[in-house]
Amino acid sequence: MTTISTGRYNVGGVALDRPFKIRRLGHFGFNFSDLDAARRFYVDLLGFRISDQSSNGGFFTRHGSDHHAFVVFPKRPAPVAGTPAAAHYRPDNDINQITWQVQSLQEVVDATHYFRSLEADIRMEGRAGGPGSNWHLYVYDPDEQVDELYYGIEQIGWDGHAKPAEMRHGYQVAPTGPHAAEYDEVQADLAGGSDIRTGYRYLDPLPATHNVDGILLPRPFKVLRIGPVKLFAEDVERTVHYYREVMGFDLTEEVSWRGETASFLRCNTEHHSLAIFPKAWRTALGLSPATTSVSFGMQLANYRQLRDAIAFLRSEGVRVETGVIPRELHPGIDYAAYAFDPDGHCIELYCAMEQLGWDGRPRPAHLRPRVDPHQWPEMLEATSDIYHGEPFLGPWA
């Protein structure tokens, strides 16, 4: 971990206030009471593909080439009092992880030393040797949510096979020096007789009958991006301070509602990748009191697909609403629909997010489009943010 005379860090030749820079939300997951119901909602209806099974009965899913973008695990029993896990346990924290990507292994290593210097509890470090094969660091935020920083998640290519278990190499601590590239690890495994075709491969059982912008898919839409993550916090100011000062997020804007404030933060050019709401709003918004998740975002390819997704999910018996969260509480996203999974988690479906430029200023509220949540137009006029932001790479299926 290289510091410079100003007390800052040399991160790839750039002076930063932390020895790492979060670039995007990598993956996310909930703990569920009914894994079969969760599978139907996220896999059969939303179209995530299972990439691997978990030893606890859960599973890893993806919407693109990253090994996993969304994780489904069973609800955990309360840990035994007095154990290290009990110190971080909160019954309504059913988010199993919030995972943020940095750009290099060195950043993960330096982040490990950085959090140790802050005397933070480290849940896990190194490389678990499990699905995804990524180097990681797990820490806790002020509300005991699990944040993971990672580098180098496994990519699943055109053949759809995940890496076989015997080709995943685990290390329980951060490396002390340069590590072999993944390509060289794979070459060594192949030379040792490993067969890459033995990795898990998912086959979608639903017929591809929907013409989705020229591609036949089993659903009339495609999830292209995950996030933002929106959390309920006990103390918004404390939690926002942590994500800004310790994790390095930028504050985009704050929104007041019913006498309290929500904060919207970003790690890249999107309006927000993370939002922090007061816990008192759970009841006011009619959201589940059993979770600290306000909503988890999923971006669809375009506005037409968003409208088609609403109709499709409703036809399958899913509760989908367009006004459950007031317009002022999702700045940067004009048109949003909220689908509720079997455990009551709110999934924010949208098609475009406001992007910020060099000066870091969001669009003033009075210049944003006025949206009637109950009467959406057939077609939108183009704005400066439509089809901007992180693109989806590769075919849709």
Side-chain angles (χ1 to χ4, degrees), residues 31 75-81 83-94 140 143-146:
N31 300 323
K75 281 189 177 294
R76 302 166 180 160
V80 176
T83 62
H88 298 286
Y89 176 73
R90 294 189 181 180
D92 56 354
N93 277 6
D94 64 348
Y140 298 92
D143 296 282
E144 309 299 349
Q145 304 285 5
V146 176

Side-chain angles (χ1 to χ4, degrees), residues 188-195:
D189 289 331
L190 293 176
S194 294
D195 184 354

Side-chain angles (χ1 to χ4, degrees), residues 303 306-307 310 321-338 349-352 354 363 365-381 383 386:
Y303 177 67
L306 176 59
R307 286 167 55 90
I310 294 171
E321 300 185 19
T322 54
V324 64
I325 295 181
R327 171 68 182 88
E328 61 266 34
L329 295 183
H330 53 87
I333 296 175
D334 296 330
Y335 290 87
Y338 297 92
L349 304 175
Y350 66 102
C351 63
E354 180 181 319
R363 180 178 287 111
H366 70 278
L367 295 181
R368 290 177 178 144
R370 293 186 178 182
V371 175
D372 182 343
H374 305 294
Q375 291 187 332
W376 288 12
E378 185 71 23
M379 185 171 62
L380 301 180
E381 291 296 328
T383 67
I386 291 288

Side-chain angles (χ1 to χ4, degrees), residues 170-221:
Y171 307 90
Q172 300 308 309
V173 296
T176 57
H179 193 273
E182 184 185 48
Y183 187 89
D184 293 328
E185 287 182 332
V186 171
Q187 286 297 103
D189 289 331
L190 293 176
S194 294
D195 184 354
I196 61 176
R197 294 167 297 179
T198 61
Y200 187 91
R201 186 179 191 274
Y202 179 71
L203 180 62
D204 196 329
L206 301 182
T209 58
H210 296 275
N211 180 351
V212 186
D213 292 297
I215 301 293
L216 286 173
L217 299 178
R219 301 145 201 94
F221 61 91

Side-chain angles (χ1 to χ4, degrees), residues 55 97 101 152 159 164 246 275 293 309 320 368 370:
S55 60
Q97 61 183 342
Q101 181 182 344
D159 63 357
V246 177
S293 171
V320 184
R368 290 177 178 144
R370 293 186 178 182

Side-chain angles (χ1 to χ4, degrees), residues 61-230:
T61 74
R62 63 188 179 94
H63 67 284
S65 61
D66 278 1
H67 178 278
H68 53 277
F70 187 80
V71 180
V72 173
F73 283 172
K75 281 189 177 294
R76 302 166 180 160
V80 176
T83 62
H88 298 286
Y89 176 73
R90 294 189 181 180
D92 56 354
N93 277 6
D94 64 348
I95 297 171
N96 64 56
Q97 61 183 342
I98 311 168
T99 302
W100 308 100
Q101 181 182 344
V102 298
Q103 202 62 38
S104 69
L105 174 54
Q106 191 63 52
E107 289 178 65
V108 176
V109 173
D110 290 347
T112 304
H113 298 307
Y114 166 79
F115 277 94
R116 282 214 175 90
S117 74
L118 298 178
E119 299 184 342
D121 279 352
I122 293 178
R123 179 179 177 182
M124 193 184 308
E125 65 175 280
R127 191 184 191 187
S133 300
N134 49 284
W135 294 91
H136 56 214
L137 169 70
Y138 287 81
V139 292
Y140 298 92
D141 82 0
D143 296 282
E144 309 299 349
Q145 304 285 5
V146 176
D147 279 311
E148 177 190 10
L149 301 182
Y150 82 97
Y151 155 77
I153 196 166
E154 172 191 329
Q155 298 294 298
I156 297 180
W158 63 267
D159 63 357
H161 284 281
K163 185 185 291 185
E166 68 271 14
M167 295 178 67
R168 297 169 180 153
H169 303 279
Y171 307 90
Q172 300 308 309
V173 296
T176 57
H179 193 273
E182 184 185 48
Y183 187 89
D184 293 328
E185 287 182 332
V186 171
Q187 286 297 103
D189 289 331
L190 293 176
S194 294
D195 184 354
I196 61 176
R197 294 167 297 179
T198 61
Y200 187 91
R201 186 179 191 274
Y202 179 71
L203 180 62
D204 196 329
L206 301 182
T209 58
H210 296 275
N211 180 351
V212 186
D213 292 297
I215 301 293
L216 286 173
L217 299 178
R219 301 145 201 94
F221 61 91
K222 170 64 182 175
V223 174
L224 298 189
R225 179 177 177 267
I226 60 167
V229 172
K230 297 180 181 178

